[in-house]
């Protein structure tokens, strides 16, 4: 490819659009911010058109007549690799040539006018221009707070339908926009926070049996309304009104729909207005500021009674059953028969939903997580793929699906799942956390710290993030920082001493040389294990923390039998983290130990 020209002009680096004046790069609707210095480094490399640029030449170009250390350039390169999702060992964009300098591996071309992009044979770059849409919470203008679920349900269903156009439109998750229900900054500020270029606003007025919907599309770059419309009907018309709005929004965005896409946007969740009302009320109660999960579940069960073929409601119930199932391996004591009943409930509801609608929201994800726990990983991977195709912003599927793909060695797929989940949940700490965890599992510790650090900044009270940051820092050799983060994790846990953390805390303390703390945690594990099952995985990791590798091997042998028999182990998470050696413990790479760990893998 030819050499890029002006330093301030937009250009393509591989399939990434680089916009120096806006200090950002983007691909497939995903926007990444870049510091001015890092952008200057990128432009300097782009000017070289793929040839190697010495570090001194880069320093002279980016920091002219300034006394800076080489570390300044290194930090910029670290930041750029983080943005592009690459490491020095996997130089998809930037390559460091030892003792010579740095070069861009990806081809560089000047950006042409958007109207000629397709003519010049650049479909991947046209894809990068996919619109990014934020559907804000609809305002309830009914004057009756009890009708708030009507506006919330309208917004959620329109957002869900438009999300089905994932290949044409990047729709920010409902979780990310939910905060704007109570605080509403300017459209431009919202768009910048979410990485959206267009915003859909709406209001719903419900009075007796009448319903009015007002919607408008706002171009975030110009703050101008590009389309608006109003819809009037009866309360019983709510489902057809959702279809009309979704189709009209797609038309206003000039999305050329296939027949299947039109059918998808037009397809209602249910033919029963009564069932939909119950479904909308349940969703509102489940996700409100003061959630009432028990009542939400009863309402959702009533929705299924009103329409036994309500696939979305069945999927919702399966998904909440999965959360209960995971709680049985993370801290809640449970009778084996009660756990099996939960498993059967998830499978029954998910299969019923998928028999009605193969793309039923939540159902594929619920089924995938059950199969993941039971070591049926081939089936789980298939279901996760379906779940992410229908609900790419669902962080339950993003997290578990990305983690499983990382566990089986599908590095690129794992990172892409996590990156896509983050792009649709840009302000959610959990999304940053999962990206960091995936990077940690596949061994890119630098990127792991970046993702987990951002998650910790957004949600400093999350012990899960603090613990994973500790493990990665220990793996990087930063024992003092790892120890500090382990202490922070314990502080955040308080009196809630969940087994999901204890064995890994013990191993972490052992790895940073704090054997007394490792023994203290092990004693706690022993006491809990006398009260309820904690799983072979927890015992195996606790034994590793004490350096008792014979005991660890004995526990791993028990776990391997469970894996072969597709049985749930309460130490499921510990088993997988042991196998992936998340703290880079040399003892776990001994041949006998590694052979035992390699048997802890689903089919």
């Amino acid at each position: 490819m030819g050499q890029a020209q002006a330093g301030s002009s937009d250009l393509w680096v591989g399939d990434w659009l680089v916009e120096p004046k806006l200090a950002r790069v983007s691909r497939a609707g995903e926007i990444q911010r870049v510091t001015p210095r890092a952008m200057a480094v990128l432009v300097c490399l782009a000017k070289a058109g793929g040839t190697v640029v010495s570090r001194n030449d880069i320093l002279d170009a980016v920091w002219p007549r300034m006394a800076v250390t080489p570390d300044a350039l290194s930090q910029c390169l670290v930041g750029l690799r983080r943005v592009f999702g690459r490491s020095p060992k996997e130089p998809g964009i930037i390559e460091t040539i030892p003792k010579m300098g740095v070069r861009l591996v990806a081809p560089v071309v000047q950006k042409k006018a958007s109207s000629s992009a397709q003519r010049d044979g650049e479909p991947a770059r046209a894809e990068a221009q996919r619109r990014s849409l934020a559907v804000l919470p609809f305002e309830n203008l009914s004057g009756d707070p009890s009708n708030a679920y009507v506006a919330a349900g309208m917004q959620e269903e329109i957002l869900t339908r438009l999300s089905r156009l994932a290949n044409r439109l990047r729709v920010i998750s409902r979780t990310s926009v939910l905060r704007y229900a109570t605080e509403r900054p300017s459209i431009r500020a919202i768009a910048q926070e979410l990485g959206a270029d267009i915003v859909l606003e709406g209001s719903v007025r419900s009075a007796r049996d009448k319903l009015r919907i007002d919607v408008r599309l706002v171009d975030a770059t110009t703050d101008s309304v590009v389309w608006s419309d109003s819809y009037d009907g009866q309360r019983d018309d709510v489902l057809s009104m959702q279809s009309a709005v979704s189709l009209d929004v797609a038309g206003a965005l000039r999305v050329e729909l296939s027949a299947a896409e039109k059918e998808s946007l037009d397809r209602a969740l249910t033919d029963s207005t009564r069932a939909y009302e119950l479904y909308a009320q349940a969703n509102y109660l489940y996700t409100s500021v003061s959630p009432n999960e028990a009542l939400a579940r009863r309402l959702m069960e009533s929705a299924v009674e009103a329409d036994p073929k309500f696939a979305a409601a069945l999927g919702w119930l399966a998904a909440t059953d999965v959360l209960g199932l995971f709680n049985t391996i993370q801290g809640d004591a449970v009778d084996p028969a009660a756990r099996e009943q939960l498993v059967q409930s998830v499978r029954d509801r998910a299969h019923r939903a998928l028999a009605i609608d193969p793309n039923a929201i939540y159902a594929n994800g619920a089924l995938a997580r059950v199969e993941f726990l039971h070591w049926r990983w081939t089936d789980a991977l298939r279901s996760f793929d379906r779940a992410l195709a229908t609900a790419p912003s669902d962080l339950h599927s993003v997290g578990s699906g990305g983690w499983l793909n990382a566990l089986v060695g599908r590095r690129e797929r794992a990172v892409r799942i996590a990156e896509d989940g983050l792009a649709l949940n840009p302000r959610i700490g959990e999304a940053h956390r999962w990206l960091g965890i995936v990077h940690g599992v596949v061994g890119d510790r630098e990127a792991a710290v970046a993702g987990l650090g951002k998650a910790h900044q957004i949600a400093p009270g999350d012990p899960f993030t603090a613990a994973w940051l500790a493990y990665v820092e220990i793996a990087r050799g930063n024992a003092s920082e790892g120890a500090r983060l382990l202490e922070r994790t314990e502080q955040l846990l308080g009196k809630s001493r969940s087994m999901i953390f204890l064995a890994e805390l013990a191993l972490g303390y052992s790895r940073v040389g704090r054997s007394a703390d490792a023994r203290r945690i092990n004693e706690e594990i022993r006491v809990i294990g006398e009260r309820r099952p904690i799983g072979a995985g927890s015992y195996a990791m606790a034994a590793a923390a004490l350096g008792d590798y014979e005991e660890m091997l004995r526990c791993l042998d028990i776990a391997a039998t469970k894996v072969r028999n597709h049985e749930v182990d309460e130490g499921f998470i510990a088993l997988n983290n042991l196998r992936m050696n998340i703290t880079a413990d040399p003892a776990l790479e001994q041949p006998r130990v590694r052979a035992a760990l390699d048997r802890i893998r689903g089919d």
Side-chain angles (χ1 to χ4, degrees):
M1 290 292 181
Q3 180 174 313
Q5 300 301 316
S8 61
S9 300
D10 295 350
L11 51 105
W12 292 101
V13 176
D15 57 356
W16 288 87
L17 173 62
V18 177
E19 300 172 280
K21 291 181 180 178
L22 298 178
R24 70 182 189 183
V25 299
S26 59
R27 179 180 65 179
E30 170 192 357
I31 297 175
Q32 298 276 4
R33 302 293 171 183
V34 180
T35 66
R37 291 291 186 191
M39 180 58 76
V41 171
L42 180 58
V43 169
C44 177
L45 294 172
K47 285 182 178 180
T51 60
V52 178
V53 184
S54 73
R55 288 179 173 264
N56 284 338
D57 285 347
I58 299 174
L59 290 170
D60 289 342
V62 178
W63 290 271
R65 297 179 298 279
M66 294 177 62
V68 295
T69 66
D71 185 59
L73 173 57
S74 297
Q75 290 303 311
C76 286
L77 293 173
V78 167
L80 288 170
R81 288 192 173 103
R82 188 177 301 143
V83 164
F84 292 127
R86 300 286 180 167
S87 70
K89 294 181 180 179
E90 189 189 9
I93 302 291
I94 300 172
E95 182 179 20
T96 298
I97 310 297
K99 299 182 180 180
M100 293 182 66
V102 186
R103 75 182 186 100
L104 285 183
V105 179
V108 178
V109 285
Q110 200 73 25
K111 181 178 180 293
K112 299 180 180 180
S114 58
S115 61
S116 64
Q118 290 290 358
R119 292 197 302 272
D120 290 348
E122 298 172 1
R125 293 165 188 174
E127 170 66 10
Q129 298 304 301
R130 195 172 42 148
R131 304 302 296 270
S132 179
L133 173 69
V135 182
L136 301 186
F138 281 22
E139 190 176 359
N140 172 31
L141 299 181
S142 304
D144 182 355
S146 65
N147 279 334
Y149 77 90
V150 179
M154 183 66 66
Q155 179 251 3
E156 178 173 8
E157 179 56 13
I158 291 170
L159 185 155
T160 300
R161 292 189 193 211
L162 292 171
S163 295
R164 296 170 188 162
L165 305 176
N167 291 331
R168 313 290 191 90
L169 199 62
R170 188 172 72 93
V171 181
I172 304 300
S173 73
R174 180 174 183 268
T175 308
S176 291
V177 300
L178 197 59
R179 62 185 289 256
Y180 302 116
T182 54
E183 56 175 285
R184 187 68 65 90
S186 70
I187 291 295
R188 189 164 294 181
I190 292 172
Q192 186 172 7
E193 288 177 352
L194 299 176
D197 60 1
I198 196 157
V199 173
L200 179 68
E201 290 187 302
S203 63
V204 176
R205 190 183 302 275
S206 175
R208 296 179 184 168
D209 61 342
K210 303 289 186 182
L211 195 64
R212 180 181 177 88
I213 305 169
D214 292 297
V215 287
R216 65 176 195 161
L217 279 171
V218 182
D219 188 322
T221 58
T222 62
D223 220 9
S224 60
V225 176
V226 296
W227 170 84
S228 65
D229 210 340
S230 298
Y231 303 79
D232 292 288
Q234 305 294 313
R235 284 285 287 264
D236 288 349
D237 297 329
V238 62
L239 299 169
S240 61
M241 294 171 80
Q242 290 170 349
S243 297
V245 174
S246 300
L247 286 165
D248 288 350
V249 169
L253 292 172
R254 298 182 182 178
V255 177
E256 295 182 9
L257 301 173
S258 66
E261 287 169 333
K262 286 181 181 177
E263 189 278 331
S264 179
L265 287 186
D266 197 29
R267 186 176 66 245
L269 288 173
T270 172
D271 294 331
S272 168
T273 304
R274 174 59 180 161
Y276 172 75
E277 287 263 330
L278 292 164
Y279 175 87
Q281 290 176 39
N283 263 328
Y284 180 72
L285 284 170
Y286 194 78
T287 58
S288 65
V289 176
S290 301
N292 187 332
E293 296 179 8
L295 178 56
R297 187 173 179 84
R298 289 198 298 272
L299 288 170
M300 197 64 77
E301 289 169 344
S302 297
V304 174
E305 290 173 5
D307 178 6
K309 294 186 177 181
F310 197 163
L314 286 165
W316 189 100
L317 289 167
T320 54
D321 280 341
V322 164
L323 294 178
L325 176 61
F326 267 75
N327 285 338
T328 70
I329 70 166
Q330 293 179 1
D332 295 346
V334 66
D335 179 77
R339 174 185 286 161
E340 187 53 38
Q341 187 176 5
L342 261 178
V343 169
Q344 197 56 46
S345 175
V346 174
R347 285 187 170 139
D348 287 349
R349 283 177 164 139
H351 283 302
R352 281 172 61 194
L354 295 171
I356 298 163
D357 177 4
N359 295 319
I361 192 168
Y362 306 127
N364 280 302
L367 198 57
R369 297 178 83 198
V370 167
E371 304 305 356
F372 188 10
L373 276 177
H374 285 82
W375 310 97
R376 293 186 174 90
W377 287 4
T378 301
D379 292 339
L381 286 165
R382 190 180 304 115
S383 291
F384 275 130
D385 283 345
R386 294 191 189 116
L388 290 164
T390 55
S393 65
D394 176 30
L395 287 177
H396 291 305
S397 292
V398 167
S400 296
W403 185 35
L404 176 55
N405 273 274
L407 290 175
V408 300
R410 296 180 177 179
R411 178 192 177 101
E412 291 187 3
R413 173 64 176 155
V415 173
R416 175 52 56 191
I417 287 171
E419 287 178 339
D420 288 347
L422 176 58
L424 297 173
N425 295 274
R427 293 185 59 83
I428 306 302
E430 185 181 354
H432 290 275
R433 184 185 75 204
W434 277 119
L435 179 58
I437 287 174
V438 164
H439 278 304
V441 172
V442 302
D444 190 345
R445 293 165 190 152
E446 191 176 86
V449 168
L452 291 164
K454 182 65 174 178
H456 195 45
Q457 178 185 344
I458 294 173
D462 177 22
F464 198 1
T465 299
W468 260 93
L469 259 177
Y471 309 148
V472 176
E473 290 292 9
I474 291 168
R476 297 173 83 203
N478 297 336
S480 60
E481 179 63 5
R484 185 190 71 80
L485 287 162
L486 291 172
E487 291 173 353
R488 178 60 180 154
T489 301
E490 281 211 76
Q491 290 172 0
L492 293 172
L493 288 175
K495 296 180 180 179
S496 173
R497 309 295 283 179
S498 172
M499 273 304 306
I500 193 176
F501 295 104
L502 292 183
E504 291 175 342
L505 280 172
L507 182 60
Y509 278 130
S510 174
R511 292 279 290 119
V512 298
R514 290 174 50 167
S515 56
D517 284 310
R519 290 193 297 272
R520 168 177 61 84
I521 299 289
N522 264 279
E523 177 59 22
E524 195 172 347
I525 292 170
R526 186 190 65 78
V527 171
I528 294 173
E530 290 174 352
R531 298 199 306 263
R532 65 174 181 85
I534 62 173
S538 299
Y539 284 122
M541 187 172 276
L546 295 180
D548 188 349
Y549 298 107
E550 291 303 320
E551 173 64 10
M552 183 186 73
L553 289 169
R554 186 188 72 80
C555 295
L556 288 176
D557 191 53
I558 294 171
T561 300
K562 287 187 171 183
V563 171
R564 288 196 303 274
N565 295 334
H566 299 294
E567 297 176 23
V568 174
D569 186 83
E570 291 84 356
F572 176 83
I573 294 173
L575 280 172
N576 285 296
N577 286 341
L578 264 179
R579 184 170 75 85
M580 300 309 293
N581 197 2
I582 59 173
T583 64
D585 186 349
L588 299 185
E589 300 303 328
Q590 297 175 31
R592 281 183 68 209
V593 175
R594 178 41 56 190
L597 288 171
D598 286 344
R599 292 187 294 160
I600 309 301
R601 179 189 172 103
D603 60 19

